[in-house]
């Protein structure tokens, strides 16, 4: 009995992990009113490599005319560093006009970021979410749960060994989002 349950769980787990990976690599990049960069680790030296890649994707999409404004969303980390401010500073350093950047300093998790971004935009604005590939499925689910199912999305082009852990984590995070939100 336990072996059967473990087999079923393993099959479901693999299917979901593969689906997350595929879904996250199929970008939906169309002209959008706002790009939303989901926060990640920062230090006193600036954004992490992972977060820098997300910001660079936003800069690329802005310069190509796909997004008109950029929301940077993140919270205050355990070292009292403001993710949103550090992302904002990075965009300014990379010549994004101040009037094209919106800070959300209360994006403590992906659901908060989705929720907060909807309060910062106009009712019918088109959204383009920007994050790592493994994060896209959960972002789409968050917006769908908030009544905003038709978003665009793009993944950053940064990969690291930690992504293996992150994909596994996303399996459980998706379950949490399905049940909790």
């Amino acid at each position: 009995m336990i072996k059967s349950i473990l087999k079923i769980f393993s099959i479901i787990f693999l299917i979901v992990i593969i689906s997350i990976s595929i879904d996250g690599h199929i970008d939906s990049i169309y002209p959008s009113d706002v790009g939303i960069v989901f926060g990640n680790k920062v230090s006193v030296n600036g954004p992490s490599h992972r977060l820098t890649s997300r910001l660079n994707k936003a800069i690329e999409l802005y310069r190509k005319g796909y997004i008109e404004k950029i929301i940077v969303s993140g919270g205050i980390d355990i070292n009292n560093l403001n993710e949103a401010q550090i992302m904002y500073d990075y965009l300014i350093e990379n010549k994004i006009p101040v009037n094209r950047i919106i800070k959300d300093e209360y994006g403590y998790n992906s659901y908060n970021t989705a929720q907060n971004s909807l309060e910062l935009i106009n009712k019918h604005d088109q959204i383009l979410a920007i994050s790592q590939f493994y994060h896209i499925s959960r972002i789409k689910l968050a917006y769908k749960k908030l009544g905003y199912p038709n978003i665009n999305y793009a993944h950053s082009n940064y990969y690291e060994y930690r992504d293996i852990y992150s994909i596994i984590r996303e399996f459980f995070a998706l379950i949490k989002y399905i049940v909790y939100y």
Side-chain angles (χ1 to χ4, degrees):
M1 174 78 161
I2 292 177
K3 280 188 176 184
S4 296
I5 292 171
L6 284 175
K7 278 184 181 179
I8 292 169
F9 176 80
S10 297
I11 291 168
I12 291 169
F13 179 79
L14 284 173
I15 290 170
V16 172
I17 294 304
I18 291 168
S19 298
I20 288 169
S21 295
I22 292 170
D23 186 37
H25 280 95
I26 302 172
D27 290 342
S28 172
I29 300 174
Y30 296 98
S32 302
D33 300 293
V34 63
I36 302 166
V37 181
F38 284 69
N40 202 267
K41 188 174 172 124
V42 296
S43 74
V44 292
N45 299 320
S48 66
H49 294 300
R50 189 177 319 111
L51 184 53
T52 297
S53 180
R54 294 177 189 185
L55 292 164
N56 288 340
K57 177 61 82 170
I59 292 166
E60 171 192 334
L61 294 169
Y62 174 80
R63 289 183 178 152
K64 288 182 176 179
Y66 284 105
I67 54 179
E68 297 175 20
K69 292 185 178 182
I70 302 170
I71 294 176
V72 290
S73 181
I76 308 297
D77 75 5
I78 59 171
N79 297 313
N80 207 32
L81 297 172
N82 185 321
E83 289 178 13
Q85 183 64 50
I86 289 170
M87 290 189 283
Y88 176 90
D89 293 343
Y90 183 86
L91 293 177
I92 296 297
E93 288 170 17
N94 283 275
K95 313 275 188 271
I96 302 298
V98 172
N99 65 345
R100 295 292 175 194
I101 307 169
I102 302 168
K103 282 191 295 186
D104 166 25
E105 297 177 326
Y106 302 100
Y108 289 101
N109 62 42
S110 300
Y111 193 84
N112 288 147
T113 293
Q115 198 170 38
N116 297 345
S117 68
L118 293 177
E119 294 172 8
L120 294 170
I121 65 171
N122 294 320
K123 186 176 179 181
H124 299 291
D125 279 354
Q126 183 61 53
I127 292 169
L128 198 157
I130 303 161
S131 193
Q132 305 310 112
F133 75 93
Y134 52 77
H135 197 202
I136 298 296
S137 295
R138 183 158 47 111
I139 290 169
K140 289 166 47 178
L141 178 60
Y143 279 104
K144 185 175 184 177
K145 291 238 176 202
L146 290 165
Y148 216 92
N150 298 316
I151 67 165
N152 296 320
Y153 40 90
H155 74 286
S156 75
N157 297 317
Y158 179 77
Y159 299 92
E160 60 186 339
Y161 288 114
R162 184 181 187 280
D163 292 351
I164 296 166
Y165 159 78
S166 298
I167 293 169
I168 293 168
R169 179 180 175 272
E170 283 303 311
F171 173 82
F172 298 101
L174 275 173
I175 292 170
K176 177 184 175 183
Y177 275 51
I178 291 167
V179 172
Y180 184 72
Y181 294 110

